[in-house]
């Protein structure tokens, strides 16, 4: 029996267009075409950026307070 390959189907894409005009001379136009895999990748990148930012901000703010509490002999951080 001879197998016949399925016909090629291009991936389904999501399309977006933005046109922005500021004043009389400034214009900004963008067109985007993304597949479902691309949307998943973009979502993963954005979530990892947000999570790493939250960790960095928490580390930058929280560490001196914990150190100060240890120096003063307190176990819990008091505000």
């Amino acid at each position: 029996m001879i197998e016949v390959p399925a016909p090629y189907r291009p991936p389904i894409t999501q399309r977006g267009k933005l046109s922005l005009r500021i004043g009389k001379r400034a214009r900004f136009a963008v067109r985007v075409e993304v597949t479902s895999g691309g949307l998943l990748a973009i979502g993963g990148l954005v979530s990892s950026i947000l999570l790493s930012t939250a960790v960095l901000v928490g580390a930058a703010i929280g560490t001196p307070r914990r150190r100060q509490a240890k120096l003063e002999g307190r176990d819990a951080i008091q505000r």
Side-chain angles (χ1 to χ4, degrees):
M1 187 170 200
I2 299 173
E3 292 184 26
V4 178
Y8 173 73
R9 292 185 186 171
I12 298 172
T13 58
Q14 306 291 325
R15 293 182 181 109
K17 181 180 176 182
L18 172 69
S19 297
L20 183 64
R21 185 173 178 176
I22 302 171
K24 294 182 180 181
R25 296 184 183 184
R27 285 186 182 180
F28 183 71
V30 176
R31 279 193 235 176
V32 177
E33 188 171 333
V34 182
T35 63
S36 58
L39 286 174
L40 185 63
I42 291 169
L45 287 171
V46 169
S47 64
S48 65
I49 289 169
L50 291 175
L51 286 172
S52 64
T53 303
V55 170
L56 289 173
V57 169
I61 292 174
T63 304
R65 289 183 186 168
R66 287 187 204 123
R67 239 184 252 144
Q68 185 65 28
K70 284 181 182 178
L71 290 175
E72 294 175 359
R74 293 182 285 160
D75 291 333
I77 299 173
Q78 299 173 356
R79 294 183 184 196

